[in-house]
Amino acid sequence: ITPVDQIHGLAPHLQPRAWLEVLASANTTLDEKCEAMEEVVIVSKDKRHARILLDEGILDSLLYMLNRYFDKKAQQRGTTSAVVVVDKRELMSSKLAANCCLTLGKAHCAAVHTEGDLLLMSMYERGTVPEERQLAQMLYEVPHHILSKEPDVFVIQQSSMSASEDLAMKIKELATSGR
């Protein structure tokens, strides 16, 4: 993969893929992943770049981080011991991952669901689709992998729209908490 300090020197059309590689690599640090996610939020505002990132599988890395965070939080609520701890760095990286997902969800809906998409748009007054609904739509429509019950085995996620909406609400809540 391209070292983080060299990515800004790449041609602009090569940068999104380089940031994705940083996110997907097991050999990058949390700080490098956070920098990559900050850049992904910026480049994902362009729906062409967002489409490339989604097609290349960025949701796999983002949802891996988010699901680990949500699992830790659930374990934390279920125990009285201090064994399960979510530190500030992990919270910050999870919030960045959630913001990446929101930005990608908006770009996905802008690229795929145009104003002529009556099914999606007819459900909302004045054609404004809430962010969490855009995110749920992306999670439902874009194939992605999740970690299975078996260690180190990733499987394709086949979720219902209802499950996608539930996950989107959790992601939106995390992204907007503390604002």
Side-chain angles (χ1 to χ4, degrees), residues 7-37:
I7 294 176
H8 290 289
L10 294 175
H13 70 281
L14 297 175
Q15 291 180 14
R17 174 77 191 233
W19 291 119
L20 172 63
E21 289 172 355
V22 170
L23 272 178
S25 175
N27 298 321
T28 54
T29 67
L30 185 59
D31 289 337
E32 290 171 328
K33 288 182 188 306
C34 286
E35 183 176 348
M37 286 186 285

Side-chain angles (χ1 to χ4, degrees), residues 62-75 77 91 94-99 101-102 131-133 135-136 139 157 161-179:
L62 295 173
L63 291 176
Y64 175 75
M65 284 184 253
L66 288 168
N67 285 328
R68 283 188 47 208
Y69 172 78
F70 292 140
D71 288 347
K72 275 189 171 183
K73 290 302 278 186
Q75 288 175 353
R77 283 190 292 273
L91 174 61
S94 298
K95 282 184 163 211
L96 275 170
N99 279 305
C101 286
L102 281 177
E131 287 180 326
E132 56 271 14
R133 176 59 189 202
L135 177 54
L139 292 171
Q157 173 71 28
M161 184 53 138
S162 176
S164 296
E165 288 171 341
D166 292 344
L167 180 55
M169 291 297 283
K170 288 169 56 175
I171 292 171
K172 166 78 176 187
E173 183 178 310
L174 175 60
T176 59
S177 66
R179 281 190 182 173

Side-chain angles (χ1 to χ4, degrees), residues 79-122:
T79 184
T80 56
S81 69
V83 175
V84 181
V85 177
V86 177
D87 64 20
K88 287 182 181 183
R89 291 181 64 225
E90 191 171 6
L91 174 61
M92 182 188 77
S93 66
S94 298
K95 282 184 163 211
L96 275 170
N99 279 305
C100 284
C101 286
L102 281 177
T103 304
L104 288 164
K106 289 178 194 177
H108 172 75
C109 281
V112 176
H113 299 283
T114 63
E115 289 182 28
D117 189 344
L118 299 178
L119 178 62
L120 181 63
M121 301 302 280
S122 65

Side-chain angles (χ1 to χ4, degrees), residues 36-51:
M37 286 186 285
E38 289 169 355
E39 295 295 331
V40 165
V41 167
I42 294 167
V43 300
S44 294
K45 292 179 181 178
D46 179 314
K47 55 188 173 184
R48 289 174 296 142
H49 287 141
R51 181 85 248 149

